[in-house]
Amino acid sequence: MSRLGEWRRSHYTNNVNENSVGKDITIMGWVHEIRDLGGIIFVIIRDREGKIQVTVPTKHVDPQVLEDIKKLRKESVVAIKGNVQEAGKAINGVEIIPNVVKVFNPASQPLPMDPTDKVKAEIDTRLDSRFIDLRRENITSIFKIKSQLLHSTRVFFEENGFLEINTPKLVASATEGGTELFPITYFEREAFLGQSPQLYKQMMMSAGFDKVYEIAQIFRAEEHDTLRHLNEAISIDMEASFLSDTDVMDILEKLINKVIYDIVDKQQNSLEILDSNLELCGCPFPVVTYDEAVDIINSKGVEMEWGEDLSRAAEKALGEVYDGFYFLTNWPSEIKPFYVMANEKDPTIAHAFDLMYKDLEISSGAMRIHQHDLLKEKIAEKGLNPDSFGGYLKAFDYGMPPHSGWGVGADRLTMVLTGVNNIREAVLFPRDRRRLTP
Ligand code: AMO
């Protein structure tokens, strides 16, 4: 027996349709709208899956029901038991004539923001009352798509023989460059929030796990305030032994295509609500070398020297030419992290790639150095202290296979899949330079 007594939901609102006509059902949700026309009162109830009309002919219902209905306030949480009737003009062509109304939790008035979308609010106001903002169907849709992305990713990795791992987020050293770390106090020592599972996923190759993946938070002390950076993001990371950079690029391309296929297949309703025209192409992603990219960028009037990282203007110039996903390969070794393997013939070029979508970087990956002494040398060359990488370096001295991997920004990929242009829209409770609450 539930602690809610006889109250048990029989249907989500979207499951009430012509097949339910004549049935007694129980729905639970939020009071979305109340329209009192005197002889008849319409109450729209909303749940995660949609809305339904409750119709109260004031002269023909139980006086207790009428009294309860009259006391309802917008956004209160209620349960309604009633009989389903046909109603041509209502949502799904049906309405509920209530027999019993229960208020679980009345909402105070006025509301901090309008959840019906009639009054438009700025993103900061919305994020301040995010729990209400998230009640809106277009906002919920973003997270249904993100949930599908994460689910499909797990299914993909499981089907392809990967083991899911969990690595520490309280760490002793930087991996992606020293300036973007959040220092924390770890008892009497200095520690940091993890920027990437990079070192740990590589150590799992030495552990013989062969193919691993992790979906977890990464922390970046990025100073800049942009539409595509957050200080806490979700990274989908993978690492695999005995594979090269081109092999893991294939895996990444297959994953992205599966995710899009599943979203188009299973989240059509959310895509429609978001007015997104996400389509499965299923085609190979173009591969553009860094050299070619530099030429394209310069030809677009954006100055860029060989060896520089892409500026925002450079990304935009490339995004004008490539209208979807594409790989950027053959990066200069100089601007890639210490763990990236250089080309044997020309060490100025790295076996590293990015996956881009138009002007947005979605993923970085590479073949890694698996030789202990070379790795130690590269750590020192980047101005880092090899001694603080002791535990990591040790794993390279006792049997480390060649290996490759990548990390995908899940929030950025969600932007692409949903068509939102601010990364904050793709995160429940975003953390940026100015925001630490709610
Ligand atoms: P990188 O630093 O490029 O690579 O990060 C991988 C991907 O994570 C996303 N990302 C971010 N998203 C939002 N806000 C941020 N501040 C942010 N920083 C990164 C991006 C990016 O492409 N260890 C390597 C991966 C690897 O080689 O396996 C790494 O972390 O989408």
Side-chain angles (χ1 to χ4, degrees):
M1 182 67 177
S2 162
R3 291 197 195 282
L4 294 178
E6 86 260 38
W7 290 100
R8 204 172 269 287
R9 173 168 52 204
S10 68
H11 291 71
Y12 274 121
T13 55
N14 66 330
N15 291 330
V16 188
N17 52 37
E18 67 269 26
N19 299 326
S20 330
V21 171
K23 288 189 184 144
D24 285 324
I25 64 160
T26 305
I27 54 158
M28 296 184 174
W30 286 257
V31 175
H32 186 71
E33 234 180 271
I34 308 165
R35 265 177 293 142
D36 188 343
L37 307 181
I40 194 159
I41 304 172
F42 297 111
V43 181
I44 306 293
I45 302 296
R46 187 191 68 239
D47 62 19
R48 192 185 77 187
E49 301 301 332
K51 300 189 203 87
I52 193 147
Q53 177 173 300
V54 175
T55 304
V56 191
T58 51
K59 296 219 171 68
H60 307 286
V61 289
D62 184 278
Q64 182 62 49
V65 170
L66 186 60
E67 196 185 317
D68 292 342
I69 288 280
K70 288 208 159 178
K71 278 194 266 177
L72 290 183
R73 293 289 166 268
K74 275 191 183 181
E75 294 306 311
S76 297
V77 172
V78 298
I80 294 190
K81 281 185 202 277
N83 192 264
V84 181
Q85 314 245 306
E86 241 177 73
K89 285 189 201 146
I91 309 156
N92 272 355
V94 288
E95 62 189 4
I96 300 175
I97 311 296
N99 299 323
V100 195
V101 175
K102 173 160 179 72
V103 177
F104 285 117
N105 187 246
S108 298
Q109 310 286 329
L111 298 162
M113 66 168 283
D114 176 19
T116 65
D117 233 3
K118 282 182 189 144
V119 184
K120 297 275 177 228
E122 293 296 323
I123 183 121
D124 269 324
T125 312
R126 291 174 38 211
L127 292 176
D128 285 342
S129 300
R130 188 62 157 162
F131 63 95
I132 293 195
D133 185 47
L134 291 164
R135 292 178 189 173
R136 303 191 301 154
E137 66 172 2
N138 53 340
I139 310 297
T140 309
S141 295
I142 298 170
F143 293 95
K144 285 184 178 170
I145 289 174
K146 192 173 191 181
S147 173
Q148 183 72 55
L149 152 66
L150 298 176
H151 174 73
S152 293
T153 300
R154 286 203 162 88
V155 170
F156 174 87
F157 279 131
E158 295 301 325
E159 283 176 357
N160 285 284
F162 282 75
L163 298 178
E164 181 165 9
I165 58 166
N166 309 105
T167 65
K169 305 302 157 212
L170 296 174
V171 299
S173 54
T175 57
E176 310 304 316
T179 55
E180 295 167 6
L181 281 163
F182 280 116
I184 53 165
T185 308
Y186 193 69
F187 305 105
E188 55 289 328
R189 271 186 293 167
E190 186 185 42
F192 307 97
L193 296 178
Q195 285 178 303
S196 159
Q198 184 64 36
L199 307 189
Y200 293 98
K201 63 179 184 168
Q202 287 191 261
M203 286 159 78
M204 295 314 292
M205 299 300 99
S206 176
F209 275 41
D210 201 61
K211 292 192 247 179
V212 299
Y213 76 99
E214 176 165 17
I215 302 179
Q217 257 89 346
I218 55 170
F219 301 92
R220 305 277 169 109
E222 312 260 10
E223 294 265 332
H224 35 258
D225 187 6
T226 77
L227 298 179
R228 59 193 195 290
H229 289 95
L230 286 175
N231 298 111
E232 178 176 358
I234 298 291
S235 179
I236 301 170
D237 270 272
M238 64 75 71
E239 201 69 29
S241 291
F242 310 109
L243 295 183
S244 74
D245 47 337
T246 51
D247 297 323
V248 296
M249 282 162 69
D250 285 346
I251 294 175
L252 179 51
E253 186 178 280
K254 287 200 177 83
L255 169 69
I256 300 279
N257 279 319
K258 177 190 167 55
V259 163
I260 296 176
Y261 179 91
D262 285 357
I263 289 171
V264 170
D265 186 38
K266 302 195 171 100
Q267 294 296 330
Q268 200 53 47
N269 190 38
S270 298
L271 290 174
E272 273 165 31
I273 289 169
L274 288 166
D275 207 11
S276 160
N277 51 9
L278 186 68
E279 272 177 32
L280 179 71
C281 156
C283 39
F285 300 155
V287 178
V288 185
T289 64
Y290 175 89
D291 285 8
E292 288 164 346
V294 172
D295 286 346
I296 294 170
I297 291 159
N298 280 299
S299 76
K300 291 270 164 196
V302 177
E303 267 182 47
M304 179 179 170
E305 300 261 343
W306 197 95
E308 287 176 6
D309 207 347
L310 299 192
S311 64
R312 186 66 193 129
E315 287 178 337
K316 284 193 168 155
L318 276 180
E320 282 173 25
V321 179
Y322 294 98
D323 191 30
F325 288 103
Y326 57 101
F327 284 111
L328 275 184
T329 62
N330 295 16
W331 284 80
S333 298
E334 187 70 27
I335 52 172
K336 284 290 167 186
F338 62 79
Y339 51 76
V340 169
M341 181 170 309
N343 185 303
E344 311 69 48
K345 291 191 190 114
D346 179 0
T348 62
I349 308 284
H351 285 304
F353 60 88
D354 278 6
L355 179 70
M356 305 286 293
Y357 180 85
K358 296 183 183 169
D359 61 1
L360 185 65
E361 180 198 313
I362 303 296
S363 173
S364 293
M367 187 159 183
R368 325 296 192 183
I369 295 172
H370 62 275
Q371 302 90 338
H372 176 277
D373 293 353
L374 180 60
L375 188 58
K376 198 171 167 186
E377 201 181 297
K378 294 289 167 193
I379 291 174
E381 261 176 36
K382 293 279 175 193
L384 299 162
N385 180 0
D387 293 344
S388 55
F389 291 86
Y392 166 69
L393 277 170
K394 196 166 148 192
F396 290 74
D397 226 0
Y398 302 95
M400 173 63 93
H403 59 279
S404 301
W406 42 251
V408 165
D411 315 301
R412 288 196 184 174
L413 184 54
T414 303
M415 291 170 74
V416 172
L417 300 170
T418 59
V420 299
N421 67 1
N422 186 340
I423 195 167
R424 290 160 189 78
E425 298 278 6
V427 176
L428 292 174
F429 298 101
R431 292 289 176 260
D432 64 22
R433 187 82 203 276
R434 290 165 298 121
R435 187 171 285 279
L436 197 53
T437 58

